[in-house]
Amino acid sequence: MPGNSFGQAFKITTWGESHGPGVGVVVDGCPPQIPLGAEDIQAMLDRRRPGSSPASTSRKEPDRAVIMSGVFQGQTTGTPILIMVYNKDADPQAYAPYADLFRPGHGDITYLAKYGIRDWRGGGRSSARETVGRVAAGAVARVLLEREKVTIRAYTIELGGIKAIERRLEVIDRNRFYCPDPEAVKKMEQRVRTVKRKGDSVGGIVEILAKGVPKGLGEPVFDKLDADLAKALMGIGAVKGVEIGSGFDAPGKLGSENNDPITPAGFLTNNAGGILAGISNGDDIIIRVAVKPIPSILIEQQTIDLNGNPKTISTRGRHDIAAIPRINVVCEAMVSLVLTDHLLRQKAIQ
Ligand SMILES: Cc1cc2nc3c(=O)[nH]c(=O)nc-3n(C[C@H](O)[C@H](O)[C@H](O)COP(=O)(O)O)c2cc1C
């Protein structure tokens, strides 16, 4: 019931707060005898870490993954894998001025309504720091997916209103926004600089491409693959929309345009985004995620205090200007978790 766990066959539970001692995850259901080391997890955590982009917070976290259980002599044992990451650069006092105020765009007001108590140190559990656990678990899932030749990549196709036109996936690791269009990157950098100067923030769109996904993953009717992917991605902070394949363009198309004709060599197009009737069809899975602008901004805004009195607030401290590009690896992790879960469920019925 409490909603801190995700998945059925490959189940994860994340724990920890932004400015507490640490964050992490318990992964249950990972098959035994899979080679796994902290370095597999570290590589993914490094991509999520602050400071990797001009749009990122200046919080300096080494984010070293420690595997506390479930791995023996470099192999999974089939028992729960607990991955721990200590918070090294926590600064709860930076949030003391906002302890009695509700920050617009944040969960302060809803957490208090729900629990009657809230950890005001950087949003506590509503903070993006919670995604450390997701990325660590996603790294374990990725090891399993690589054995099945499934690859997953997320890249930025829009930031601050600047759209990527090209899809040159070979360039995404050569720029700090993980964007497949070098011309758009220059404009994005300019846009981020301008917005930062004004103390404001931007949003954008991340596209996720999963290749090599076998046919047949996904369950009728409530655990459809697309339904689980949407839930997984919507559960990331700042995500406000998910579309699969032609998504929100589909209603504007004719049936004859939106269907993907089938030939002996495969589908001619991929408007389905790799999923039909909630089950993978063997084609690439294509997902787009709408990410809202970062809520913590320097620009003064109206709010209220705990007693309902009108106040103004300007949120200082170490914040991203955009959740992109740090959110990209989180999206990859969530897609990895869903595909691994369904892969194991499919193996169970075969
Ligand atoms: C990777 C990532 C980084 C984020 N960085 C920040 C940040 O530095 N400052 C901030 O105010 N919000 C940040 N957010 C967004 C907030 O966590 C989120 O908007 C807030 O908790 C409210 O949740 P909601 O947007 O889902 O309604 C980030 C989100 C993600 C996924």
Side-chain angles (χ1 to χ4, degrees):
M1 195 175 85
N4 292 296
S5 303
F6 184 75
Q8 293 199 20
F10 191 85
K11 192 175 187 110
I12 70 155
T13 302
T14 70
W15 51 269
E17 281 83 25
S18 182
H19 292 259
V23 285
V25 69
V26 179
V27 180
D28 207 357
C30 182
Q33 298 182 39
I34 307 291
L36 182 73
E39 63 284 358
D40 295 309
I41 296 154
Q42 200 58 54
M44 293 297 118
L45 286 179
D46 286 349
R47 286 179 50 211
R48 198 215 71 95
R49 243 173 50 200
S52 51
S53 137
S56 291
T57 163
S58 58
R59 183 169 171 171
K60 295 215 167 18
E61 286 290 354
D63 282 350
R64 307 313 296 177
V66 185
I67 299 176
M68 308 287 275
S69 69
V71 177
F72 178 62
Q73 294 180 336
Q75 289 194 18
T76 58
T77 57
T79 59
I81 302 169
L82 191 149
I83 303 162
M84 169 104 188
V85 173
Y86 290 98
N87 292 333
K88 296 283 190 195
D89 194 19
D91 182 15
Q93 278 319 307
Y95 291 87
Y98 315 116
D100 293 341
L101 297 174
F102 297 120
R103 295 167 304 159
H106 276 285
D108 303 344
I109 202 161
T110 49
Y111 265 58
L112 191 65
K114 183 171 175 64
Y115 298 109
I117 178 173
R118 89 184 158 90
D119 182 346
W120 48 258
R121 304 167 304 167
R125 191 131 172 83
S126 71
S127 161
R129 187 114 189 98
E130 180 271 341
T131 63
V132 164
R134 299 170 187 237
V135 171
V140 179
R142 186 181 286 257
V143 169
L144 296 172
L145 291 172
E146 276 171 3
R147 294 162 72 94
E148 307 286 334
K149 309 268 183 291
V150 177
T151 61
I152 298 167
R153 204 61 224 267
Y155 41 88
T156 306
I157 60 165
E158 187 173 325
L159 187 66
I162 311 288
K163 293 183 199 305
I165 310 296
E166 292 189 283
R167 292 287 189 278
R168 291 177 50 200
L169 298 193
E170 74 279 8
V171 307
I172 59 181
D173 283 324
R174 290 193 223 136
N175 67 79
R176 291 184 294 176
F177 295 120
Y178 301 121
C179 174
D181 182 344
E183 278 311 303
V185 171
K186 290 182 203 154
K187 292 181 193 155
M188 286 172 182
E189 272 179 357
Q190 182 59 44
R191 178 96 178 107
V192 165
R193 257 197 305 273
T194 312
V195 168
K196 194 173 182 173
R197 229 177 284 128
K198 292 181 180 156
D200 219 330
S201 63
V202 292
I205 301 177
V206 176
E207 188 167 88
I208 306 139
L209 176 65
K211 290 178 105 54
V213 179
K215 291 179 189 153
L217 303 194
E219 305 288 327
V221 277
F222 298 114
D223 294 349
K224 290 181 172 179
L225 190 59
D226 39 4
D228 279 1
L229 285 167
K231 177 172 177 167
L233 292 161
M234 283 296 287
I236 305 172
V239 170
K240 288 292 140 187
V242 176
E243 68 172 16
I244 295 180
S246 57
F248 281 88
D249 282 343
K253 290 179 188 264
L254 296 170
S256 55
E257 294 167 326
N258 196 57
N259 287 344
D260 302 312
I262 308 172
T263 73
F267 297 100
L268 283 186
T269 51
N270 188 10
N271 288 308
I275 302 171
L276 285 168
I279 297 175
S280 59
N281 65 11
D283 217 334
D284 293 347
I285 293 184
I286 303 171
I287 314 164
R288 278 171 294 276
V289 166
V291 182
K292 80 177 192 184
I294 290 291
S296 298
I297 53 173
L298 285 172
I299 292 173
E300 211 166 71
Q301 294 197 298
Q302 282 183 292
T303 189
I304 54 170
D305 66 14
L306 293 178
N307 299 314
N309 299 311
K311 298 278 176 186
T312 56
I313 185 168
S314 148
T315 317
R316 295 176 187 280
R318 303 167 299 179
H319 292 285
D320 297 313
I321 308 300
I324 294 172
R326 292 180 59 218
I327 200 171
N328 295 25
V329 68
V330 185
C331 294
E332 285 180 20
M334 292 314 291
V335 171
S336 301
L337 291 171
V338 173
L339 293 180
T340 301
D341 190 44
H342 279 279
L343 201 68
L344 294 179
R345 287 164 78 174
Q346 180 65 2
K347 282 185 193 284
I349 66 160
Q350 272 169 347

